[in-house]
Structure formats: C-alpha cells, structure tokens
C-alpha cells in the first residue's frame, strides 16, 4: 500500500518510519531526539491486538454516528485528552513538551491527525478542545465511510460513480445545514450596514458560478499572455499506478469493467493524491534546476472509482516542450513504469493546436480545451454529460463530495501573478488610485477582467498585500495560544498603500437569537423557584454524611451504582422537603423556566439544534413548517429533565 500518512495501520513496526520532525511543533525541534525516544518507548509498549480492537471500535462508532452523537463523542474525547495531558504535566513537573508526547500518542492510537500548531502549548490546547475534536471526528467519519465503500467495491461507474451514495447524501445534508446557518448569521459594519453571511458568500468565489467564471478568466488570460510572449500550450494527463485503483476501468469486452481490481493495495484517494503531489514536486524541482519557465493550471478530478488523476494546461517556450515532456513522463512512470499499459495510460501529452479549426471555423483555444474539466468539477454547466454518460450537473455534486471528503484541492494555479492581489484590486472597482500608477493600471485590468494585462504588470509581485498590524499582548493570540494571522487591509507597492477593506465587521444577530428570546414558555413543567431548589440542595450536601450516607450504602448493597444511588437519595430528600413546604403538585415560576430556556440555548445552540432536527427525520414529515418549533419544545423538555436529574436528582413531571 502506498502510504504517506504518519499514522500507520500497524504499529508493530520500526519507529524510524515516523517523521517526527514533520509532526511536532517548531519549538521542540531542538529536543526532537529526546521526544523521539519517549515516543519510541511508549509505542513499543502498544499491543497490536489492543490497537486493532480500539481502532475497530471507534471506526464502528463513527460509521453509525449521527452528528449529535459525534458532538457527545467529541466532548468525551476532549475530556479524556485533558486528563491525559494534566496527568502527564504532573509526571513531568510541568514540562509541556514532554507532556504533549502522551497526548500525541493518544491521538495517534485513535488515528486522529495531531494538531497543526507552531508550539506544543497551542497543540495541546487544541487537543483538549471539543470543537477541535468534533472537526477531526467529522473528517474521520467521512473518510472511514468512504473507505468502507471502497473496500466493498461500491464506488465505480457500474455502481456509485466517484463517491458512494451514502457520502453524497451526507454531504448534501451538510451543505443544507451550512446554508441555513449562514442565512441566519449577519455581519454588521461600523456604518450599521447589515448582511447575512449567506448573501456575502454568494458574492465570492464560494459561489460556483463566480468561481467558474473567475477560473476561466484567468485561464483565458494566461492564453493571451502566452500569445503575447510567443509561448505554446501543452495539455498533460497523469494517472496513478494500477495498484492504486480500487476498480478496473476498462477491458476489451467490458466484462471486467467496474470489478474489483486484483492489484488494488488499499491506497485511498487522499494517499493517491499525495503520490501525485510528490511526483509533481520532483518534476518542478527538475524543471527549476534547468531554468525552465512555465505557467498554467492544474485540475484534479476523480476517475470512476474515486482515484484522482491530474490534467495540466501549461504554457512554455517552444524550445522547452521536448524537455518538459520527458521530465513529466519520467516521473509519471517512476513507480511501476514497466507494468502493462503504463506507457499508454499513465502519461499523456497533447500539443494544443494553433490557427483556425476547419470544423468550427473558430480559432483553436487552450482555454476551451480545459473548460469542460473546470465546469465538470464545479457545477457541470454547459457540459451535458460526463465521460460515462451521466448528467454533468449530478456528476459535479458527486465530484464535489469526493473532493470534500478526501480534502483534495481541485484547482491550482501554477506560476503567474497573485490571484489574492487580483481579488483585492477588484474590490476597488471604479475607485481611481492617484498615488501609484502601477496600482492604478493593475486596478483597471482587474476591473475589466484583463488577467493577461494584470500578469504583465504584477508577474514579479511588485504589488503586495497590505496587512493589519497585530494587537499587542494577549490580544495577539488566538484561543489556542497561537499568534493570530494578520488580516488583509489592502494592497501596497513601493511604500504606497491602498485600503481595500475599510470596514470593521462584527458577526451579529443570528437565528440563535430566536432561541435566546424569551417568549411564551416552551413547556408546562412542575414549577418551583430556583432559590428553594438550591437551598434544599445545599441542605442535602451539608447533612449528607450524617443523614443520608446510610441510605446510599443500602442502595449500593441492593445493586445500584454509586452515582445512581446518590442521585436517588438526593432527589427523594429534595422532593420531600419541597412537598412539605409547598404541597404536592408545586410548579416552577416563570422566571425559572425562562432562565432554563436561556441556559439551554447557550449550551445547545441553534446550529446543533438544527443538526439534531435534521437527523430526527421530522423535516420530511413537516408540512406546515411547525416541525422545528415542536422539536425545539421536545428537545428543551429532554434537556431540562437531564438538568434537573443531574443537579437535584428529581425527575421532570409530564
């Protein structure tokens, strides 16, 4: 199996395979050997059977977990990690670097990629955060789900093309949840202007139409730039070795198409993508050493079984073409280059024709050559059908699911001027820049979509981003302890700056406010003041040893566990005391109910409540739009019941 991940399936192997220097934060580089020895010692203590048993357990849980379950699991894992970290800190006398080793081991045992942090302090803070765990578990769930589909040979053109149906459904639900959240979150600036995040996202490259249009503008611009300089266009396709393909792609009689590939070694699409990236890194290094200049775009798309392959549209001088082709072919066939069909299928090079196409009467176009791959990977616009006869729009959703699941970047610009600066220039629109001729000319190019002209002006990066200064002290750090990233303020050239982001935005009122607002009570429950409950709880705790420990011991002797025994005795004592003071059938006052509603809204939150609502299946039966309100009432009652039992040992009356 081609493996580039640090976390291996079998830990009963030589620890030297771990690239510790690529995993541990920068501040422990000088102590790497010491930490490596500590990790080695702990790894060698791991039992192979124990490892696989734990891994199988968490994988089973993840595959069958809803998002609300994932959130509970994330909180549980964060607590466990915190306990491990705090115990290790005590053991190592407060040495954060060595304490993090134990955290690193725990994450590795769970096959959770350790945090990407600059310091062990911030890495540890991430690892004990339930939000960080939730993000990791969601990613792990998505990939394990798709791995299972690959293992069962469910992903192919004859079954479920590009990605499994289960993953497509999961991704669609995720997109809908995200859209609902964005629709209910607003951004407000210092002028009082207010927009939903959903509306703002629709104006950016997050919008598929805008994304596709911008990519095509840049590609056409590169083509025009190449014509201006006398460069030629080449189109290359690189495919992975046959052992990385889960299913067979073709045969003379089509009898084996889509069947499980007997050579398949278990390489998943993410690992296959890393293989391609590594080979391209070698190609770039070779070309750079020989002074070859090139520029263009790379598009990654899945083959029918989800294995990635690359299409590259590159522009270069005519004299470089032969050398570039040879370099690409050498590294494309470096692994298993002698296998059957490798020379024919693993690397293809095509020269983009020049002049007029006699069939269409139009000029041959490099941009037109790659346009279908761009569109097919985004929204299927103008394509009709994919290579296998599937509706292109439907196929695009499956391709997007595939890319999202495996964390694969579909498009990458190679060489050329900064697209980030280009986007900042487009923010200026018709605002003329008087202090810099270079910036003004670049602004004019960006305003009319002239990528070629912009590249001519800013190929060497003379126009740069202008960043905001970081605040001092604690405000310079994020919640995990890492230094905050400097936000973009504008652009600058030769000391002259232009602000492109003049407003200060705050994320303001959102749909969660509907949960926070106190309107009519969501539920009719037994009512009593909080002060009375708290006073009886304090009385119980104060007199526990003398008045209640015997009752607890008796329940434990009858089979209760200690926690349930204490809760039962506590609940009985508090309920009896309040019954004596207020009589049976006492009720909570409205103030307590309202306070609990606010507490519920703060702990659960709108997005989590919406996730649970989606998983409940109620939306499919909700005809009048009241389903969410009923679910919110039900979920609040459930939460309140848990709260009353955990704190006071009493049950919520129906």
């Amino acid at each position: 199996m081609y493996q580039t991940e640090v976390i291996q399936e079998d830990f009963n192997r030589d620890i030297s395979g771990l690239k510790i220097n690529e995993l541990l934060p920068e501040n422990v580089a000088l102590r790497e050997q010491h930490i490596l020895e500590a990790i080695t010692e702990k790894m060698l203590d791991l039992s192979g059977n124990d490892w696989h048993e734990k891994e199988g357990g968490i994988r089973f849980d993840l595959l069958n977990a809803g998002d609300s379950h994932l959130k509970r699991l994330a909180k549980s894992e964060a607590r466990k990690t915190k306990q491990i970290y705090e115990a290790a800190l005590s053991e190592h006398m407060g040495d954060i670097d060595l304490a993090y080793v134990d955290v690193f081991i725990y994450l590795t045992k769970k096959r959770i990629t350790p945090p990407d942090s600059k310091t062990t302090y911030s890495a540890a803070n991430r690892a004990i955060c339930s939000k960080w765990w939730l993000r990791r578990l969601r990613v792990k769930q998505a990939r394990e789900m798709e791995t299972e589909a690959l293992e069962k040979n469910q992903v192919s053109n004859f079954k479920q093309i590009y990605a499994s149906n289960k993953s497509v459904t999961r991704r669609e639900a995720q997109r809908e949840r995200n859209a609902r959240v964005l629709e209910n979150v607003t951004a407000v600036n210092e002028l009082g202007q207010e927009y939903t995040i959903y509306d703002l996202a629709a104006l950016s490259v997050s919008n598929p139409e805008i994304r596709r249009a911008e990519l095509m503008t840049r590609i056409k611009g590169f083509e025009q730039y190449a014509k201006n300089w006398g460069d030629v266009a080449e189109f290359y396709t690189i495919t992975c070795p046959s052992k990385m393909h889960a299913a067979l792609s073709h045969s003379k009689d089509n009898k084996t198409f889509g069947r499980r590939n007997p050579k398949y070694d278990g390489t998943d699409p993410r690992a296959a993508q890393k293989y391609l990236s590594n080979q391209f890194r070698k190609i770039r290094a070779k070309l750079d050493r020989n002074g070859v200049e090139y520029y263009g775009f790379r598009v990654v798309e899945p083959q029918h079984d989800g294995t990635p392959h690359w299409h590259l549209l590159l522009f270069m001088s005519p004299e470089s073409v032969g050398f570039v082709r040879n370099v690409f072919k050498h590294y494309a066939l470096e692994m298993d280059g002698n296998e059957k069909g490798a020379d024919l299928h693993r690397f293809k090079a095509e020269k983009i024709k020049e002049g007029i196409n006699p069939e269409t009467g139009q000029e041959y176009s490099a941009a037109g050559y790659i346009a279908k791959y761009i569109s097919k990977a985004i929204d299927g616009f103008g394509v009709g059908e994919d290579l296998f006869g599937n509706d292109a729009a439907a196929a695009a959703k499956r391709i997007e699911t595939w890319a999202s699941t495996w964390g694969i970047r579909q498009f990458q610009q190679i060489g050329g001027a900064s697209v980030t600066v280009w986007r900042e220039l487009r923010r200026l629109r018709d605002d003329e820049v008087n202090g810099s001729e270079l910036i003004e000319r670049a602004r004019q190019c960006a305003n009319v979509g002239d990528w070629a002209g912009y590249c001519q002006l800013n190929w060497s990066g003379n126009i740069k981003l202008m960043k905001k200064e970081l605040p001092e002290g604690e405000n310079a750090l994020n919640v995990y302890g890492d230094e905050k990233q400097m936000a973009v303020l504008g652009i600058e050239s030769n000391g002259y700056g232009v602000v492109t982001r003049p407003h200060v935005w705050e994320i303001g009122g959102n749909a969660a406010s509907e949960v926070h607002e106190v309107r009519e009570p969501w539920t009719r429950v037994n009512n009593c003041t909080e002060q009375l409950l708290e006073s009886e709880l304090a009385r119980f705790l104060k007199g526990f040893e003398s008045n209640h420990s015997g009752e607890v011991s008796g329940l434990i002797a009858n089979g209760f566990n200690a926690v349930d025994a204490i809760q039962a005795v506590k609940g009985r004592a508090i309920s009896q005391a309040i019954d004596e003071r207020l009589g049976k059938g006492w009720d909570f006052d409205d103030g307590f109910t309202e306070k609990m509603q606010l507490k519920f809204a703060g702990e659960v939150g709108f997005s989590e409540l919406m996730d649970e609502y989606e998983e409940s299946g109620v939306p499919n039966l909700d005809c009048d739009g009241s389903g969410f309100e009923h679910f919110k009432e039900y979920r609040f009652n459930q939460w309140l019941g848990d709260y009353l039992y955990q704190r006071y040992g009493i049950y919520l009356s129906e």
Side-chain angles (χ1 to χ4, degrees), residues 59-109:
R59 180 174 178 183
F60 176 80
D61 289 342
L62 284 173
L63 287 176
N64 294 279
D67 207 58
S68 57
H69 183 191
L70 286 183
K71 290 173 182 176
R72 292 192 294 271
L73 182 59
K75 292 177 181 178
S76 174
E77 290 296 339
R79 285 194 298 269
K80 291 177 187 176
T81 310
K82 186 176 181 180
Q83 292 169 357
I84 291 169
Y85 181 53
E86 290 176 345
L89 278 174
S90 299
E91 178 185 351
H92 297 295
M93 305 296 289
D95 190 318
I96 294 176
D97 292 346
L98 288 179
Y100 180 68
V101 170
D102 285 35
V103 173
F104 180 90
I105 297 300
Y106 182 72
L107 297 176
T108 305
K109 287 175 66 178

Side-chain angles (χ1 to χ4, degrees), residues 12 30 92 123 177 249 343 372 377 389 393 417 447 470 500 559 564 578 583 586:
N12 297 321
L30 296 178
H92 297 295
R177 286 198 304 270
S249 61
D343 193 59
K372 63 179 179 181
N447 197 36
L470 286 174
T500 58
D564 288 342
I578 297 179
W586 45 269

Side-chain angles (χ1 to χ4, degrees), residues 223 226 231-236 313-316 321 325 350-354 366:
E223 184 173 17
D231 292 336
V232 296
E234 290 272 285
F235 189 79
Y236 301 149
L313 176 63
L314 298 178
F315 301 92
M316 65 198 74
V321 170
R325 284 194 179 195
E350 300 176 62
K351 177 179 174 59
I352 305 298
K353 296 180 180 180
E354 299 176 344

Side-chain angles (χ1 to χ4, degrees), residues 241-435:
S242 62
K243 64 185 178 184
M244 299 184 189
H245 296 259
L248 296 174
S249 61
H250 68 278
S251 64
K252 291 182 178 179
D253 55 9
N254 275 338
K255 291 183 178 180
T256 60
F257 186 79
R259 291 184 183 177
R260 184 172 183 81
N261 178 12
K263 295 181 180 179
Y264 182 52
D265 65 356
T267 299
D268 63 37
R270 185 172 175 81
Q273 171 70 1
K274 288 196 173 185
Y275 156 78
L276 291 170
S277 297
N278 286 340
Q279 297 309 104
F280 187 57
R281 192 176 297 115
K282 297 175 185 178
I283 291 170
R284 296 190 74 161
K286 178 76 170 178
L287 295 178
D288 290 346
R289 285 195 301 270
N290 286 271
V292 177
E293 295 185 7
Y294 54 97
Y295 51 97
F297 272 89
R298 181 215 70 186
V299 179
V300 184
E301 66 172 358
Q303 294 181 276
H304 72 107
D305 62 351
T307 306
H309 66 167
W310 286 17
H311 300 295
L312 300 103
L313 176 63
L314 298 178
F315 301 92
M316 65 198 74
S317 67
E319 297 79 18
S320 301
V321 170
F323 179 73
V324 172
R325 284 194 179 195
N326 288 335
V327 171
F328 265 87
K329 184 172 183 178
H330 170 76
Y331 287 107
L333 300 178
E334 186 179 33
M335 178 183 288
D336 300 341
N338 294 323
E339 66 178 344
K340 185 178 179 180
D343 193 59
L344 181 62
H345 300 293
R346 294 270 299 280
F347 174 69
K348 295 180 180 179
E350 300 176 62
K351 177 179 174 59
I352 305 298
K353 296 180 180 180
E354 299 176 344
I356 303 298
N357 184 341
E359 295 182 2
T360 64
Q362 297 179 343
E363 188 176 6
Y364 287 108
S365 169
Y369 210 86
I370 200 173
K372 63 179 179 181
Y373 298 105
I374 297 288
S375 184
K376 188 168 66 172
I378 294 179
D379 56 7
F381 176 80
V383 177
E385 295 181 346
D386 68 1
L387 182 64
F388 303 98
N390 302 296
D391 176 71
K397 291 183 178 180
R398 304 187 75 91
I399 292 173
E400 192 278 335
T401 296
W402 167 84
S404 172
T405 298
W406 296 111
I408 292 175
R409 182 180 178 184
Q410 293 174 274
F411 311 104
Q412 182 181 9
Q413 179 180 314
I414 300 170
S418 167
V419 68
T420 309
V421 170
W422 162 270
R423 289 168 182 162
E424 292 305 310
L425 287 165
R426 286 183 62 81
R427 284 175 172 269
L428 296 173
R429 301 188 185 278
D430 296 323
D431 297 337
E432 186 175 348
V433 178
N434 296 315

